[in-house]
Amino acid sequence: MPANRRPVDREAKREEIVRAAAAQFLEVGFDETSMARLSAAAGVTTNTVYWYFEDKDALLVAVLDQLLADALLQREQVADRPWTEQVLWAVDRLERMRRLVAVVHARAATSPAVGAWHERFHALADDLLADGFRDAGAAEEDLAARTRVGVFVLEGLLTHPQPEQERRAVVELLTAGLHR
Amino acid sequence: MPANRRPVDREAKREEIVRAAAAQFLEVGFDETSMARLSAAAGVTTNTVYWYFEDKDALLVAVLDQLLADALLQREQVADRPWTEQVLWAVDRLERMRRLVAVVHARAATSPAVGAWHERFHALADDLLADGFRDAGAAEEDLAARTRVGVFVLEGLLTHPQPEQERRAVVELLTAGLHR
DNA sequence: ACCTGAACACCGTTCAAGT
DNA sequence: ACCTGAACACCGTTCAAGT
């Protein structure tokens, strides 16, 4: 068989496992999903998963990367809406990942791989939010603090779901005094 | 033996277990502390712990209650400082509990006992913060949103430690425009 | 290179038996 | 009422063996 055919299959199978893992992690929970259950859902044996991923944390990181890539792709479609609306859209979109936010925070303390992903994610979130606040007319001198508060509030809204109205009030307080 | 003597011993032993568990959970981590390790640290057998606590989550709740009671007691000593300073003090004080914040969020989704504790905690935090903001002169109409943002930022500062300077900038942005 | 059956050490929890 | 020794089912992970 040609040497350049295998990698395609490999990628496809890897993605199947990630997709199955994502579904289980989001619906059942990370701790609650055993490798046995996950493997069965993906249609492979337990140890096959270990051929593709070093351990359960590595699989978690792969799932996070996939979910994040999806979210960033969809974000482009709302890039021209007002800033407040964009933030609310992001909260809505990310709420599906709620259970995983807590898991990432808990595992980051133990697993270097998850810890590294967590840092990368916050660097990205900081950049996106800072750009947004700058465009919306935030003063350069309190941009950093405003961004940090923004990230914290976003995470808070994710992990402690609020009724639509309260959610909007919180985000509007965040963007108060900005010209768009 | 008198019927009113046992309860004292019982309380004492229970507290020993909670104290040992708190130390392990904070230093080693909740997931990383096995019931075997924990029992050994408390000087009892594994199943003895199950005589005092229904399961590991119930033990976690007991640990949380104890840490919270300690924190509330110490809080009284700073009750007359300016509001910004009080918030900074709280962040400093609560940072020891950092690892447990993520654990509570993760377990709350699965364990009703931890979920209930989490709700009770937020009701308390909301009350304390709302009182503080009101006293500091926040407008009544955006008190709710400001409180919510305050809680989220507090949690964010706990789980994502910042250098002293950034931390202060964030808290000052929160209390901006208030008269003390 | 990829996959498996069978085992590994360990986990939280339970139970029958003791005092 | 309190505590234990011994077991339970299950967990994430590994390894020798197959193709």
Side-chain angles (χ1 to χ4, degrees), chain A:
Chain A
M1 99 199 70
N4 63 350
R5 211 200 131 209
R6 272 287 170 203
V8 176
D9 290 349
R10 179 171 174 80
E11 250 328 297
K13 188 139 201 176
R14 211 190 113 101
E15 212 179 301
E16 266 176 54
I17 296 174
V18 172
R19 202 175 305 278
Q24 298 286 320
F25 289 173
L26 290 173
E27 284 157 32
V28 185
F30 179 75
D31 286 339
E32 291 74 16
T33 303
S34 69
M35 293 299 274
R37 180 193 186 122
L38 189 155
S39 309
V44 295
T45 333
T46 318
N47 1 23
T48 298
V49 176
Y50 282 91
W51 177 258
Y52 290 91
F53 301 93
E54 199 180 337
D55 54 24
K56 205 183 177 185
D57 286 315
L59 187 47
L60 172 61
V61 168
V63 165
L64 294 167
D65 275 336
Q66 204 221 51
L67 292 172
L68 182 59
D70 280 3
L72 287 177
L73 242 161
Q74 291 199 17
R75 195 187 82 93
E76 293 173 13
Q77 300 172 351
V78 294
D80 51 353
R81 295 202 207 154
W83 180 228
T84 306
E85 297 306 318
Q86 282 190 50
V87 174
L88 280 167
W89 175 89
V91 173
D92 217 45
R93 178 65 236 267
L94 290 170
E95 211 166 44
R96 287 187 10 183
M97 300 172 61
R98 171 151 55 109
R99 285 193 93 161
L100 286 186
V101 178
V103 170
V104 166
H105 288 157
R107 294 302 308 153
T110 302
S111 156
V114 178
W117 189 89
H118 185 227
E119 278 182 35
R120 262 185 287 132
F121 175 80
H122 273 284
L124 175 67
D126 274 11
D127 278 358
L128 286 175
L129 269 189
D131 283 355
F133 275 126
R134 206 191 324 262
D135 285 358
E140 197 65 33
E141 85 234 37
D142 60 18
L143 193 65
R146 214 185 254 268
T147 299
R148 198 119 298 144
V149 168
V151 172
F152 290 162
V153 168
L154 254 157
E155 253 181 23
L157 283 174
L158 285 187
T159 47
H160 308 78
Q162 306 288 323
E164 168 67 18
Q165 206 182 340
E166 271 85 346
R167 196 193 282 182
R168 185 169 283 273
V170 163
V171 172
E172 272 164 4
L173 186 67
L174 263 192
T175 53
L178 304 182
H179 58 58
R180 24 169 178 167

Side-chain angles (χ1 to χ4, degrees), chain B residues 65-83:
Chain B
D65 276 335
Q66 203 221 53
L67 292 172
L68 182 58
D70 280 3
L72 287 177
L73 243 161
Q74 291 199 18
R75 195 186 82 94
E76 292 172 13
Q77 299 172 351
V78 294
D80 51 352
R81 295 204 207 153
W83 181 228

Side-chain angles (χ1 to χ4, degrees), chain B residues 66-144:
Chain B
Q66 203 221 53
L67 292 172
L68 182 58
D70 280 3
L72 287 177
L73 243 161
Q74 291 199 18
R75 195 186 82 94
E76 292 172 13
Q77 299 172 351
V78 294
D80 51 352
R81 295 204 207 153
W83 181 228
T84 305
E85 298 305 319
Q86 282 190 50
V87 175
L88 280 167
W89 175 89
V91 173
D92 218 44
R93 177 69 236 267
L94 291 170
E95 211 167 44
R96 285 186 11 185
M97 299 173 60
R98 172 151 54 109
R99 285 192 95 164
L100 286 186
V101 178
V103 171
V104 167
H105 288 157
R107 295 302 308 157
T110 304
S111 156
V114 178
W117 189 90
H118 185 227
E119 277 183 36
R120 263 186 285 133
F121 175 80
H122 273 284
L124 176 68
D126 273 12
D127 279 357
L128 286 175
L129 269 189
D131 283 354
F133 276 126
R134 206 191 325 263
D135 285 358
E140 197 66 33
E141 85 234 37
D142 58 19
L143 193 66

Side-chain angles (χ1 to χ4, degrees), chain B residues 19-179:
Chain B
R19 203 176 304 278
Q24 299 286 321
F25 289 172
L26 290 173
E27 285 156 33
V28 186
F30 179 76
D31 285 339
E32 291 75 16
T33 302
S34 69
M35 293 300 275
R37 180 192 187 123
L38 189 155
S39 310
V44 295
T45 333
T46 319
N47 1 21
T48 298
V49 175
Y50 282 91
W51 177 258
Y52 290 91
F53 300 94
E54 197 180 337
D55 54 23
K56 206 183 178 186
D57 286 315
L59 187 48
L60 172 61
V61 167
V63 165
L64 294 168
D65 276 335
Q66 203 221 53
L67 292 172
L68 182 58
D70 280 3
L72 287 177
L73 243 161
Q74 291 199 18
R75 195 186 82 94
E76 292 172 13
Q77 299 172 351
V78 294
D80 51 352
R81 295 204 207 153
W83 181 228
T84 305
E85 298 305 319
Q86 282 190 50
V87 175
L88 280 167
W89 175 89
V91 173
D92 218 44
R93 177 69 236 267
L94 291 170
E95 211 167 44
R96 285 186 11 185
M97 299 173 60
R98 172 151 54 109
R99 285 192 95 164
L100 286 186
V101 178
V103 171
V104 167
H105 288 157
R107 295 302 308 157
T110 304
S111 156
V114 178
W117 189 90
H118 185 227
E119 277 183 36
R120 263 186 285 133
F121 175 80
H122 273 284
L124 176 68
D126 273 12
D127 279 357
L128 286 175
L129 269 189
D131 283 354
F133 276 126
R134 206 191 325 263
D135 285 358
E140 197 66 33
E141 85 234 37
D142 58 19
L143 193 66
R146 216 186 254 268
T147 299
R148 199 118 295 143
V149 168
V151 172
F152 290 162
V153 167
L154 257 158
E155 252 181 24
L157 284 174
L158 285 187
T159 46
H160 307 77
Q162 305 288 324
E164 168 66 20
Q165 206 182 340
E166 271 87 347
R167 198 193 281 184
R168 185 169 281 274
V170 163
V171 173
E172 272 165 3
L173 185 65
L174 264 192
T175 52
L178 305 183
H179 59 59

